[in-house]
Amino acid sequence: MLKKRFFPLLVFSFVFLSSCSSVPRQDVPVEDRTTGRIDIPSATSSDNKRSAPVGDPIVIAGLQQDAIELNKKGESAKAAAVLERAIRIQPRNPSLWHQLAEVRYSQQQYAQAESLALRSNGYAALNTEIRRKNWLLIAEARSKLGNMEGARAARKMVTE
Amino acid sequence: MKKKSSKRRSRAKPKKKKSIFTSRWSWLLLLSLIIIFSGYVLYLDYIIRDRFEGNRWEIPARVYASPLEIYRGAPVSKNEFLQELKRLNYRVNPRVHEEGSYQAHSDSVTVHTRSFQFWDGKEAAKKLTIQFSDTGIALIKNLQDRSAESLVRMDPVHIASIYPTQNEDRILVQLKDTPALLQESLIAVEDRKFREHAGIDYLAILRALAANLKAGKTVQGGSTLTQQLVKNYFLSSERAISRKINEAIMSILLELHYSKDDVIESYLNEVYLGQDGQRSINGFGLASQFYFGRPLKTLQPQQVALLVGMVKGPSYYDPRRHPQRAKKRRNLVLKLMAEDGLITDQSFKKYQQAPLGITKVNETAVTVYPAYLDLVKRQIRRDYKDEDLSSAGLRIFTTMNTQIQQQAEKSLSRSVTSLEKGYRLKDNSLQGAVVVTDVNNAEILAVVGDRQPRFTGFNRALDANRNIGSLVKPAVYLTALKSSQYHLSTLLNDEPITIRQKGKDTDWTPQNYDKIDHGDVPLYLALTHSYNVATVRLGLELGLDNVINTLHDLGVHRDIKPYPSLLLGAVAMSPLEVTQFYQTLANAGFYSPLRSIREVLDVKGQPLSRYPLSVSQVVNAEDSYLTKYLLHQVTSIGTASTLPLYLRQDLQVAGKTGTTDDLRDSWYAGYSQDYLSVVWLGRDDDQPAKLTGAQGAMQVWASLFNQLDARSLDMSPPSKIEMLWIDPVSGNRTDEACANAIQLPFKNNHQPNEYISCEGESDSGSDILDWLNRVF
């Protein structure tokens, strides 16, 4: 009789124990490089070995201001040179690329204005304000180039 | 009386006839002589004015490296900063009261920067203290106004000059920038009456003549500064009378047209003051740098005295070869200065005792970076004639980063030596080339053309055209991804294939490196493991023309023939060309022509040409990302999987190895967040290098990137990319829970449709466990 009651208990406890002790498969350490887990670094990580942050805005604030003033005075080529310098210092700063796109627009170099604004978006990640400004500028530039369909598509992106 | 008058009359008639005859002809003769002489004088006048006014000074083009920018947070260590100061010839001086001086402390550097007029703005001289931390610059304090500086641009390193045919060199100075003492002592020593005469000092000539006759040889010169200037213009030391007369006339003419100030300023810039190998040192501006290593306006009186004294005979009084003679001459000039009241007697005594103060000869005459300079010359020859290049005093601002250039040179030369030892290759048989660019703006930071970087011979970076082997493959795979017919887990066929070739006798049977047929392989593995057969099959399916178009879009300009062997890189390119096409891949699909020059300014500092940053998107964000993902996988699971062993821990990079037939060439192209570099290793005699891409070029690359401030790639995908779990055997979607499931990126509009459950879990036992797992 004990055997009869005992056996189901055994089975039950077996099953119970195995369910408790079983490790979910994804935690099994697999010494296999093909697991391909992507560890996406956060955008604001300051770890030197990770992707670098955009940079301290103070450093290029002066240059951005100089560029604005030069462009106002009509010295757009110099304004562009100043922005290129700023870009060398903070290459992934989307606002610098946007500003350069604006200078090119003011010089009527519409194809470059469009390309530089697109490049700026590549660095803009989650910065929706810059993305919006870029798409607006891209729409304007495309209009000037006669690419009406492209301009419409860009305007759509402004609200997305 | 009547007789007399008649006689007179009769005699006067013939006399009259004679005098009319002679006087008319002699009049004509005199007139024509005057006309000829005037014509000649006008001719001399034209020559001297043309020479004086025209840009006739042959000033070499100066080539500058990219200036170092310092700001809070800049990744520049104290040592790196000090190295740059050395390249700029800054001098150690505890009080830093002069431009161009510095003092190093344990974790900071005090420096007095030099002012420099860049085209886009003037950088004023500043006295600063720069504080360093582990990661770079922590703080920059302006010592004059106690404020914190946010950004300072150092003056750029002068890396080379491009010399004119006559090899003269000068640094132009304006009169107002020269010490008054210089002019006055020059006049006192060489031409006392300079301010009074009209070009020629007749008394001085007579005095000299007398002295020379007395001595029986030339002991005194009677030439004025004006005459010396004229003589210098025409570089002839002929002592013919005709030459002297020409000089005299031209001196007078010169003074008629131009002021004393004009004449003496020209003189100060013209006078020959020494020789440095092939180049001659002309003018006080350059002489000051050449002998004392400092600008003219900062010279001490005894140094001025030396230079003035050398005018009489720069070789004879060369302070490096004949220091005692030079000192004696200097002290003589000092004495004259004291006698004329230009310096006080007290000062005179002090200066007499002072040492000559001559610096060691600098390397500025020698081109330290010939491969980079070669690139600059080629890029600029498209826009400028050779004469302008070497004589118009152009100022060329390049994108070269001196720090990275030296790191690249070191990486190459050290690696080839250790590779030869490690692999038992013949000494000095390996050669190589390295190109480094800034990923974000396509600026060329470094070019190395020889394992011995100072050699000016064959520039392999620009001219070694070698088959690129597997380096071509990313272009094939990108073509596939662009078509949206393929994604990263699409299965490709790696089964053997034989291709009949048009116009060739033998068929072509490409082989995998490991000679294995891998059957059906997912696309990502075919590229990361560089399977040849799968790549050839893929490329033929896509069409060779499409692959060639991709290469052209990426920036390869050369004509490529549509042979199937192109798919395995049987196409020759230079390392620079390869760099252009990887640059577009690294820059998220934005093509930007590689640049080594930012702008060219004329001798007055006005821009002649600018080479602005320009971009154009040739690959969309999604396809770019997928390609980057693949190239990153090459370094983690693919043919460059040993790379992380050599690199700094955790540094995420992307790249591609390239090996050609018989291991003839060893290539590696790779990039981090901000830097791209292409390395080629091989032998000049075209014999096999006996190294794969990973064994050879990749080692050089790793050595370089360990020295650079390299940051990890940002692997975050763009918005239209989704990460999905895939079964690598079938290429279908599967559960995250599966043992062999991997995650891969896919475009939103192109993903695998089919789903497969986990592999190898078909028996019932596991099913029950699975069910129980899900229950509990």
Side-chain angles (χ1 to χ4, degrees):
Chain A
M1 211 150 117
L2 200 67
K3 269 188 183 171
K4 257 191 182 166
R5 256 180 285 158
F6 182 63
F7 193 74
L9 254 173
L10 200 62
V11 173
F12 186 83
S13 49
F14 226 96
V15 170
F16 185 72
L17 283 169
S18 66
S19 72
C20 293
S21 64
S22 79
V23 178
R25 273 178 209 258
Q26 59 262 41
D27 286 345
V28 170
V30 175
E31 183 46 40
D32 178 357
R33 283 188 186 134
T34 59
T35 50
R37 276 168 210 287
I38 310 298
D39 187 1
I40 298 168
S42 70
T44 54
S45 163
S46 57
D47 179 348
N48 201 15
K49 292 168 189 131
R50 294 267 168 214
S51 344
V54 161
D56 187 350
I58 285 177
V59 174
I60 42 96
L63 295 179
Q64 283 187 291
Q65 194 53 44
D66 287 346
I68 291 171
E69 271 155 36
L70 283 165
N71 207 26
K72 267 197 200 135
K73 280 196 285 185
E75 294 193 80
S76 56
K78 271 199 191 158
V82 169
L83 288 169
E84 287 185 27
R85 179 185 165 201
I87 285 172
R88 286 193 287 277
I89 295 167
Q90 290 186 359
R92 284 177 306 287
N93 184 333
S95 109
L96 294 174
W97 289 89
H98 175 79
Q99 206 177 338
L100 183 59
E102 282 186 336
V103 172
R104 294 296 177 217
Y105 188 91
S106 73
Q107 291 175 312
Q108 295 169 337
Q109 294 183 38
Y110 301 118
Q112 274 305 299
E114 178 190 356
S115 297
L116 290 163
L118 284 169
R119 193 73 196 89
S120 169
N121 271 344
Y123 294 122
L126 305 162
N127 188 335
T128 46
E129 181 55 35
I130 284 274
R131 296 188 77 90
R132 221 177 49 84
K133 284 160 79 173
N134 280 327
W135 284 117
L136 272 168
L137 186 59
I138 291 166
E140 292 295 312
R142 285 179 179 168
S143 288
K144 292 279 195 214
L145 289 167
N147 177 2
M148 293 321 189
E149 205 184 303
R152 267 194 294 276
R155 257 179 251 283
K156 263 203 195 145
M157 300 296 292
V158 174
T159 46
E160 257 176 45
Chain B
M1 286 246 281
K2 271 187 185 170
K3 261 187 186 173
K4 261 187 187 172
S5 58
S6 69
K7 256 190 188 170
R8 217 184 283 148
R9 248 185 278 133
S10 63
R11 240 182 282 155
K13 268 188 186 166
K15 245 190 197 171
K16 237 184 183 176
K17 259 189 183 168
K18 261 193 192 169
S19 72
I20 288 171
F21 181 75
T22 52
S23 65
R24 199 183 290 152
W25 281 114
S26 52
W27 247 55
L28 278 173
L29 194 66
L30 193 62
L31 196 61
S32 42
L33 277 174
I34 290 173
I35 290 173
I36 291 171
F37 186 69
S38 313
Y40 185 65
V41 168
L42 277 172
Y43 164 70
L44 288 182
D45 185 57
Y46 165 74
I47 289 189
I48 194 64
R49 276 197 301 147
D50 187 49
R51 183 70 177 81
F52 192 82
E53 284 171 27
N55 190 10
R56 295 295 177 222
W57 280 316
E58 294 210 319
I59 307 164
R62 275 187 207 289
V63 185
Y64 295 100
S66 185
L68 179 65
E69 303 268 9
I70 52 178
Y71 49 95
R72 196 178 63 191
V76 180
S77 71
K78 190 184 94 171
N79 277 339
E80 285 167 357
F81 185 63
L82 292 175
Q83 280 171 31
E84 182 76 354
L85 292 182
K86 281 207 178 70
R87 281 180 219 119
L88 288 166
N89 294 320
Y90 273 51
R91 285 177 319 278
V92 175
N93 183 331
R95 286 196 326 272
V96 298
H97 54 228
E98 269 179 1
E99 283 185 35
S101 57
Y102 73 99
Q103 179 66 54
H105 310 286
S106 59
D107 59 359
S108 67
V109 177
T110 310
V111 63
H112 193 156
T113 63
R114 290 195 196 111
S115 71
F116 193 89
Q117 180 72 54
F118 290 97
W119 172 57
D120 58 319
K122 176 163 181 168
E123 194 76 21
K126 288 186 171 144
K127 250 197 208 174
L128 308 165
T129 294
I130 302 170
Q131 200 80 38
F132 294 91
S133 69
D134 290 337
T135 50
I137 294 176
L139 181 66
I140 304 173
K141 198 162 80 165
N142 185 319
L143 293 174
Q144 285 148 326
D145 63 16
R146 306 250 145 238
S147 64
E149 291 280 349
S150 55
L151 177 64
V152 174
R153 181 164 39 173
M154 299 298 293
D155 48 312
V157 176
H158 170 210
I159 57 172
S161 292
I162 303 174
Y163 289 102
T165 44
Q166 279 161 324
N167 286 316
E168 294 178 4
D169 197 3
R170 29 174 84 70
I171 292 174
L172 288 186
V173 290
Q174 289 189 304
L175 203 58
K176 62 182 169 70
D177 293 326
T178 63
L181 187 60
L182 174 59
Q183 284 177 58
E184 298 312 319
S185 40
L186 190 63
I187 290 170
V189 172
E190 294 287 327
D191 180 6
R192 277 191 174 276
K193 289 263 165 53
F194 176 69
R195 298 234 152 82
E196 285 99 50
H197 64 62
I200 307 183
D201 185 349
Y202 302 99
L203 281 177
I205 294 176
L206 286 171
R207 231 184 293 128
L209 215 69
N212 295 342
L213 283 171
K214 200 173 175 185
K217 57 178 179 174
T218 308
V219 292
Q220 221 183 85
S223 294
T224 59
L225 289 179
T226 321
Q227 280 172 288
Q228 288 179 41
L229 178 62
V230 170
K231 192 168 87 171
N232 257 279
Y233 278 154
F234 303 104
L235 292 175
S236 166
S237 52
E238 266 181 68
R239 280 152 172 269
I241 296 278
S242 54
R243 181 59 82 183
K244 281 279 169 196
I245 293 174
N246 280 337
E247 261 175 36
I249 297 173
M250 287 200 272
S251 304
I252 295 170
L253 289 169
L254 199 64
E255 295 244 4
L256 275 175
H257 291 299
Y258 306 108
S259 66
K260 291 285 178 192
D261 277 353
D262 287 334
V263 173
I264 201 168
E265 185 179 83
S266 290
Y267 184 92
L268 292 177
N269 284 305
E270 183 64 41
V271 62
Y272 174 70
L273 284 168
Q275 198 70 27
D276 175 28
Q278 285 235 315
R279 69 167 179 159
S280 68
I281 308 294
N282 289 75
F284 282 88
L286 185 60
S288 176
Q289 283 292 350
F290 182 64
Y291 293 109
F292 301 109
R294 44 172 70 213
L296 185 57
K297 60 183 180 207
T298 66
L299 287 187
Q300 298 286 298
Q302 77 278 14
Q303 294 168 326
V304 172
L306 174 63
L307 293 184
V308 169
M310 284 173 69
V311 167
K312 192 169 161 187
S315 316
Y316 189 76
Y317 294 114
D318 185 337
R320 291 185 176 118
R321 289 199 310 214
H322 310 289
Q324 274 153 338
R325 223 187 258 166
K327 195 165 189 186
K328 221 168 143 193
R329 177 78 183 152
R330 178 197 76 173
N331 290 349
L332 182 67
V333 174
L334 281 170
K335 186 151 165 266
L336 271 171
M337 284 174 168
E339 280 171 11
D340 279 10
L342 298 171
I343 55 174
T344 64
D345 283 339
Q346 256 182 326
S347 309
F348 166 61
K349 287 202 182 82
K350 184 175 73 167
Y351 297 138
Q352 252 199 336
Q353 305 298 325
L356 284 175
I358 304 293
T359 57
K360 284 211 189 91
V361 187
N362 241 327
E363 268 205 81
T364 51
V366 175
T367 300
V368 185
Y369 310 111
Y372 199 95
L373 187 65
D374 185 18
L375 174 65
V376 170
K377 280 188 192 168
R378 290 187 207 198
Q379 297 203 332
I380 216 173
R381 257 185 197 128
R382 291 198 296 246
D383 301 332
Y384 294 92
K385 294 184 296 212
D386 267 2
E387 310 94 79
D388 291 334
L389 202 56
S390 60
S391 65
L394 300 181
R395 292 161 79 207
I396 302 168
F397 291 84
T398 71
T399 60
M400 189 184 107
N401 180 313
T402 45
Q403 179 91 34
I404 294 176
Q405 174 73 35
Q406 294 191 306
Q407 289 165 336
E409 289 172 358
K410 210 165 42 167
S411 296
L412 181 63
S413 49
R414 287 201 185 154
S415 298
V416 291
T417 308
S418 53
L419 284 169
E420 279 169 350
K421 280 213 184 81
Y423 287 91
R424 310 261 168 100
L425 303 170
K426 201 171 112 185
D427 273 352
N428 291 313
S429 57
L430 269 185
Q431 262 294 3
V434 182
V435 181
V436 187
T437 64
D438 180 333
V439 168
N440 301 287
N441 59 18
E443 287 193 345
I444 302 175
L445 304 171
V447 176
V448 186
D450 194 309
R451 66 189 279 173
Q452 290 187 281
R454 299 287 97 78
F455 275 29
T456 55
F458 187 47
N459 186 346
R460 292 160 192 79
L462 273 53
D463 296 326
N465 291 311
R466 294 300 184 110
N467 281 353
I468 64 175
S470 308
L471 288 192
V472 78
K473 286 176 181 159
V476 182
Y477 287 79
L478 175 58
T479 309
L481 295 169
K482 280 195 313 186
S483 72
S484 288
Q485 308 274 309
Y486 301 82
H487 50 60
L488 291 202
S489 68
T490 305
L491 289 182
L492 301 181
N493 189 352
D494 194 45
E495 276 168 16
I497 183 175
T498 296
I499 296 152
R500 203 148 282 166
Q501 297 184 98
K502 274 190 211 160
K504 291 204 177 168
D505 293 331
T506 49
D507 293 336
W508 181 44
T509 305
Q511 295 280 321
N512 284 334
Y513 184 72
D514 57 7
K515 305 280 195 280
I516 294 173
D517 161 12
H518 302 98
D520 286 336
V521 291
L523 185 144
Y524 81 95
L525 273 182
L527 178 58
T528 54
H529 290 289
S530 209
Y531 293 151
N532 286 338
V533 182
T535 304
V536 170
R537 282 183 173 275
L538 177 63
L540 291 173
E541 271 169 38
L542 295 167
L544 294 172
D545 286 332
N546 286 324
V547 175
I548 293 173
N549 284 339
T550 300
L551 282 166
H552 287 143
D553 285 344
L554 291 174
V556 176
H557 299 301
R558 69 161 70 203
D559 188 35
I560 302 170
K561 296 275 184 283
Y563 295 135
S565 54
L566 132 77
L567 299 169
L568 295 186
V571 57
M573 287 188 205
S574 68
L576 187 69
E577 283 177 272
V578 174
T579 307
Q580 175 69 78
F581 104 71
Y582 273 84
Q583 168 66 34
T584 310
L585 292 175
N587 195 16
F590 281 84
Y591 166 76
S592 202
L594 296 179
R595 287 178 301 148
S596 66
I597 303 171
R598 286 189 195 133
E599 62 247 342
V600 179
L601 306 184
D602 67 17
V603 72
K604 294 202 175 81
Q606 291 308 302
L608 287 175
S609 330
R610 286 211 62 242
Y611 300 87
L613 167 58
S614 74
V615 298
S616 144
Q617 186 164 31
V618 295
V619 182
N620 67 36
E622 293 73 41
D623 293 328
S624 278
Y625 178 79
L626 295 177
T627 312
K628 177 162 88 172
Y629 182 88
L630 288 172
L631 293 177
H632 175 249
Q633 289 290 290
V634 168
T635 69
S636 62
I637 61 167
T639 54
S641 59
T642 52
L643 180 58
L645 297 174
Y646 301 103
L647 277 186
R648 280 205 320 263
Q649 216 186 13
D650 288 345
L651 182 62
Q652 304 299 315
V653 294
K656 186 74 191 75
T657 51
T659 312
T660 55
D661 274 352
D662 304 326
L663 304 183
R664 201 166 299 262
D665 305 277
S666 169
W667 289 93
Y668 190 75
Y671 53 99
S672 62
Q673 184 73 290
D674 300 316
Y675 298 116
L676 163 70
S677 179
V678 172
V679 180
W680 167 81
L681 293 187
R683 287 174 56 138
D684 283 344
D685 60 11
D686 218 25
Q687 290 304 299
K690 298 203 196 127
L691 297 167
T692 62
Q695 287 168 336
M698 193 185 82
Q699 302 297 321
V700 180
W701 191 94
S703 159
L704 172 61
F705 275 71
N706 280 332
Q707 296 176 75
L708 296 177
D709 171 52
R711 311 285 173 111
S712 282
L713 288 175
D714 177 3
M715 291 307 294
S716 45
S719 51
K720 295 188 188 144
I721 293 273
E722 199 181 338
M723 301 299 294
L724 297 173
W725 288 97
I726 298 295
D727 162 45
V729 175
S730 63
N732 294 327
R733 295 183 62 170
T734 189
D735 280 331
E736 184 176 348
C738 299
N740 66 343
I742 56 161
Q743 241 189 350
L744 289 174
F746 293 89
K747 296 193 272 207
N748 284 350
N749 60 0
H750 188 56
Q751 297 175 354
N753 293 319
E754 285 175 40
Y755 174 84
I756 191 175
S757 63
C758 297
E759 252 201 357
E761 281 155 12
S762 49
D763 61 68
S764 49
S766 340
D767 278 345
I768 290 174
L769 267 172
D770 273 341
W771 178 83
L772 286 167
N773 264 332
R774 274 183 242 130
V775 166
F776 291 102

